[in-house]
Amino acid sequence: QVWQIRLDMHLLNHDGNITDAASIAGIVALCHFRRPDVSVQGEEVTVYTPEERDPVPLSIHHMPICVSFAFFHQGTYLLVDPTEREERVMDGLLVIAMNKHHEICTIQSSGVVMLVQDQILRCSKITAVKVTEITELIQKALENDQKARKEGGKFGFAESIPNQRITAFKMESAAVDTNDVEEQAGEIIAKADPPAEVFANPVLHTPGTAQIGEGIESSWGDLEESEKEEAAEEEGDGEAAASECDKVETEDTNTVRETKNDEPIVLSDSEEEEVVILEPQELPRKTR
């Protein structure tokens, strides 16, 4: 049996470079997480509550941190950690994920800019410096959180809630004056220009639908010139085929009429079924 852990991220405010922020938030959440302690004796598995045993941290071997680079003027200018406005006008984006041991975990490039080897090496050197700084900040924050928890204080997310620091696009409330609203609306309507066209009464075709005005003629399904020519040719071929079929039917009818004076079929006296003499034109085509 194994533990299954799912990491969900909710975006509160986006001002650019969401990839780096998400990577830092994700790795910090995994380092901060604690799972219940477990003991296994034979086939018996015991999961202890936090009151019985202290939860156990995850086994995280390294911290891959993403660093984003924005390029402008076909790579002439390089910018680290672009904002939302800078991302709108950048030509390309390069994201490098690296740990503090200078091991590259992934590289992702997007945009219309073509990067050369020297530019990528320059970005990798900058990434090594930035990842070392960010990793130290993460480890320091985790140590302070653990220390504050042992002392019974609040740190991190719990400390931010009473200070109202976690907000998304916060706006100050403004009072709305609702006095004399009807009079103000009447004055606005009186000063407004009348509509240029008076529409007819709504026409109710079926329950739940209505139409205002006469509208214009629908051109849906109209054929183009080339399609009209093809349709005319097909119609001409169809009329020719119909004439040929009428001619064949006429010849068959004449043949039947010539054989109308033939002797009728006489059944034997032993058959007691009703005798029905069919007219030649009512016989199936195969019997003609």
Side-chain angles (χ1 to χ4, degrees), residues 2-279:
V2 297
W3 290 102
Q4 180 181 1
I5 301 174
R6 188 182 69 181
L7 178 62
D8 296 331
M9 297 187 183
H10 300 275
L11 187 62
L12 299 180
N13 194 349
H14 177 30
D15 193 25
N17 196 9
I18 190 61
T19 303
D20 297 3
S23 68
I24 296 174
I27 193 65
V28 172
L30 293 176
C31 294
H32 187 267
F33 177 74
R34 299 291 187 273
R35 66 169 178 81
D37 194 8
V38 179
S39 64
V40 181
Q41 297 179 356
E43 297 182 354
E44 182 180 357
V45 179
T46 304
V47 180
Y48 297 96
T49 62
E51 290 77 14
E52 297 175 347
R53 289 189 182 182
D54 293 336
V56 181
L58 301 178
S59 299
I60 299 178
H61 302 287
H62 64 106
M63 299 181 184
I65 305 298
C66 294
V67 179
S68 299
F69 301 89
F71 295 92
F72 303 88
H73 294 283
Q74 298 299 322
T76 305
Y77 301 100
L78 173 64
L79 181 64
V80 183
D81 189 11
T83 62
E84 192 268 338
R85 291 186 177 182
E86 293 167 345
E87 288 181 349
R88 293 183 181 182
V89 296
M90 66 182 181
D91 296 332
L93 181 68
L94 178 66
V95 181
I96 300 178
M98 183 184 296
N99 56 20
K100 66 177 182 179
H101 306 293
H102 298 178
E103 297 175 348
I104 296 178
C105 303
T106 180
I107 295 180
Q108 180 182 6
S109 178
S110 60
V112 297
V113 65
M114 298 295 294
L115 301 178
V116 296
Q117 181 179 359
D118 296 338
Q119 292 174 322
I120 298 178
L121 291 176
R122 181 188 175 190
C123 293
S124 63
K125 293 179 181 179
I126 298 175
T127 302
V129 178
K130 301 297 293 183
V131 166
T132 303
E133 297 176 355
I134 296 173
T135 303
E136 292 178 358
L137 293 175
I138 293 175
Q139 292 177 348
K140 185 178 180 180
L142 293 173
E143 292 174 0
N144 294 337
D145 178 81
Q146 186 176 3
K147 182 179 179 181
R149 288 175 181 273
K150 288 182 178 181
E151 296 177 355
K154 294 183 179 180
F155 185 81
F157 184 79
E159 184 184 9
S160 302
I161 294 177
N163 297 332
Q164 297 182 357
R165 294 173 53 187
I166 302 177
T167 57
F169 301 105
K170 182 178 179 181
M171 298 179 62
E172 298 294 336
S173 59
V176 179
D177 186 10
T178 58
N179 298 327
D180 301 332
V181 175
E182 296 182 358
E183 297 179 0
Q184 295 178 6
E187 294 177 359
I188 295 174
I189 295 174
K191 295 179 181 179
D193 297 332
E197 182 180 358
V198 179
F199 296 97
N201 296 328
V203 179
L204 184 63
H205 296 281
T206 58
T209 62
Q211 176 183 351
I212 300 177
E214 298 179 357
I216 59 176
E217 184 179 358
S218 176
S219 60
W220 180 262
D222 291 349
L223 300 178
E224 298 181 356
E225 295 297 333
S226 58
E227 296 178 346
K228 290 181 179 179
E229 294 178 358
E230 294 178 358
E233 293 178 358
E234 293 178 357
E235 185 178 357
D237 296 340
E239 292 178 356
S243 301
E244 189 68 23
C245 292
D246 293 341
K247 184 177 179 181
V248 173
E249 290 291 341
T250 305
E251 293 178 354
D252 293 342
T253 304
N254 295 334
T255 305
V256 172
R257 289 178 179 176
E258 291 176 358
T259 59
K260 185 175 181 180
N261 297 327
D262 294 343
E263 297 180 357
I265 302 175
V266 180
L267 300 177
S268 60
D269 298 337
S270 61
E271 297 180 3
E272 298 180 356
E273 296 180 358
E274 181 181 0
V275 178
V276 179
I277 301 178
L278 300 177
E279 295 293 334

